[in-house]
Amino acid sequence: MGLPFERVWVTGASAGIGRATCLELARQGAKVAATARSEDKLAELTEEAAPLAGSITAYPGDITDAPRMRDIALGIQQDMGGIDVALLNAGTYLPLSIDTWSDESFADTYRLNVQGMVHCISAVLPVFKDQGKGHLALVSSIAGVKGLPTSAAYGSSKAAVTHMAEAMRCEQAATGIKVQVILPGFIKTPLTDKNEFPMPFLMPAEKAAKRIVSGLQSNRFEVTFPKRFTWMVKATAALPDFIYFPIIGKLTGSSRG
Ligand SMILES: NC(=O)c1ccc[n+]([C@@H]2O[C@H](COP(=O)([O-])OP(=O)(O)OC[C@H]3O[C@@H](n4cnc5c(N)ncnc54)[C@H](OP(=O)(O)O)[C@@H]3O)[C@@H](O)[C@H]2O)c1
């Protein structure tokens, strides 16, 4: 069985989850429009996809540049005749705790994870409206479910992304635009390679890509993996505060007392 969609715009395509997902989509026959800032890495990616059933075409750009995102979405529409799915994945994690609090880290995180996401949505919505249908898949994080140590900026930015997706999902029946949120646990990528803390159930990016491509074909709102870990996080988040905070302190070694 082939994919139920053909033309997919992927942001954050030059590394990690985005790169692996572009390749998995192309393996399964999709025409992928790949966006990231690193043109050299995108060129390598398009070359790697050459023998695959589908294709990957580079549309380089910085998602914090709103006019560039609009040009890219219109460019894909012209070149490919439309966009079936926008998998908005570009994002970053800058650790931030009370000891290292900084306006700059917060602003950088929000500029990319929240405002950049908004620029991409603003760019693709006119295309979806023209078509009378579309599919938005926003890559958030399980870290956005409830506060975790060093995640004041990252976790709150991802909570905003999840909330955005929930709000738009409420309008799905009226707009014809399918909305999903992707909530990964720990995935092995250049982003997590920098982490010095233990990452339970760390999943290879290629496996995460398969989960995403399968999730995009479902009608579920939330696509989350590895489930053993993300469900544990959700169950812990549902505990009363007087249990949640001491448990998180113990599990992460972040409590000082
Ligand atoms: N890895 C995990 O464990 C994990 C867990 C939960 C959620 N996530 C989320 O999954 C997404 C991908 O994470 P990852 O681990 O694959 O990260 P990664 O390995 O650091 O890759 C990030 C990608 O985003 C692109 N990017 C960064 N800034 C950009 C900008 N301003 N404009 C356009 N593209 C930009 C990077 O390419 P360029 O540098 O070439 O622009 C790269 O392709 C992120 O949203 C992250 O928050 C990851």
Side-chain angles (χ1 to χ4, degrees), residues 17 20-22 24 204-214 225:
I17 296 172
T21 308
C22 287
E24 183 58 31
E206 294 70 25
K207 203 165 173 184
K210 285 190 170 42
R211 297 280 193 281
I212 291 175
V213 177
S214 151
F225 47 83

Side-chain angles (χ1 to χ4, degrees), residues 11-19 35-42 61-65 69 88-93 112-113 117 139-143 154 158 182-192 194-195 199 202-203 205:
T11 68
S14 66
I17 296 172
R19 185 181 204 281
T35 293
R37 292 164 304 176
S38 314
E39 298 194 25
D40 50 339
K41 291 188 191 159
L42 290 180
D62 184 328
I63 67 157
T64 65
D65 178 348
M69 290 306 109
L88 304 179
N89 158 78
T92 198
Y93 163 62
L112 181 59
N113 292 1
M117 179 69 82
V139 178
S140 180
S141 170
I142 198 68
Y154 180 72
K158 291 300 187 178
I182 319 278
L183 300 182
F186 289 115
I187 313 300
K188 186 166 171 29
T189 68
L191 187 144
T192 48
K194 290 181 274 181
N195 291 344
M199 292 180 279
L202 184 69
M203 180 184 260

Side-chain angles (χ1 to χ4, degrees), residues 8-143:
V8 188
W9 181 26
V10 180
T11 68
S14 66
I17 296 172
R19 185 181 204 281
T21 308
C22 287
L23 287 168
E24 183 58 31
L25 284 163
R27 231 171 257 125
Q28 297 195 33
K31 286 186 191 162
V32 180
T35 293
R37 292 164 304 176
S38 314
E39 298 194 25
D40 50 339
K41 291 188 191 159
L42 290 180
E44 275 170 34
L45 177 65
T46 52
E47 230 172 80
E48 198 173 326
L52 303 178
S55 63
I56 300 180
T57 309
Y59 290 84
D62 184 328
I63 67 157
T64 65
D65 178 348
R68 177 69 193 137
M69 290 306 109
R70 284 198 296 273
D71 285 350
I72 288 180
L74 289 176
I76 302 167
Q77 185 182 31
Q78 274 165 13
D79 299 345
M80 299 189 178
I83 302 176
D84 300 314
V85 184
L87 174 62
L88 304 179
N89 158 78
T92 198
Y93 163 62
L94 302 174
L96 186 83
S97 61
I98 289 177
D99 292 338
T100 59
W101 194 266
S102 103
D103 284 8
E104 289 72 27
S105 289
F106 237 102
D108 289 349
T109 301
Y110 272 63
R111 197 174 301 116
L112 181 59
N113 292 1
V114 181
Q115 207 54 53
M117 179 69 82
V118 171
H119 293 329
C120 296
I121 297 169
S122 303
V124 81
L125 279 182
V127 178
F128 287 169
K129 285 179 187 165
D130 268 4
Q131 298 172 169
K133 61 177 181 175
H135 178 172
L136 273 176
L138 309 189
V139 178
S140 180
S141 170
I142 198 68

Side-chain angles (χ1 to χ4, degrees), residues 185-187 197-203 225-226 228-230 232-233 251-252:
F186 289 115
I187 313 300
F197 51 82
M199 292 180 279
F201 303 101
L202 184 69
M203 180 184 260
F225 47 83
R228 268 185 303 170
F229 177 65
T230 58
M232 262 166 47
V233 173
L251 289 176
T252 62

Side-chain angles (χ1 to χ4, degrees), residues 147-150 186 197-198 200 244-255:
L148 290 165
T150 75
F186 289 115
F197 51 82
Y244 176 77
F245 290 111
I247 279 194
I248 290 299
K250 269 213 178 94
L251 289 176
T252 62
S254 62
S255 47

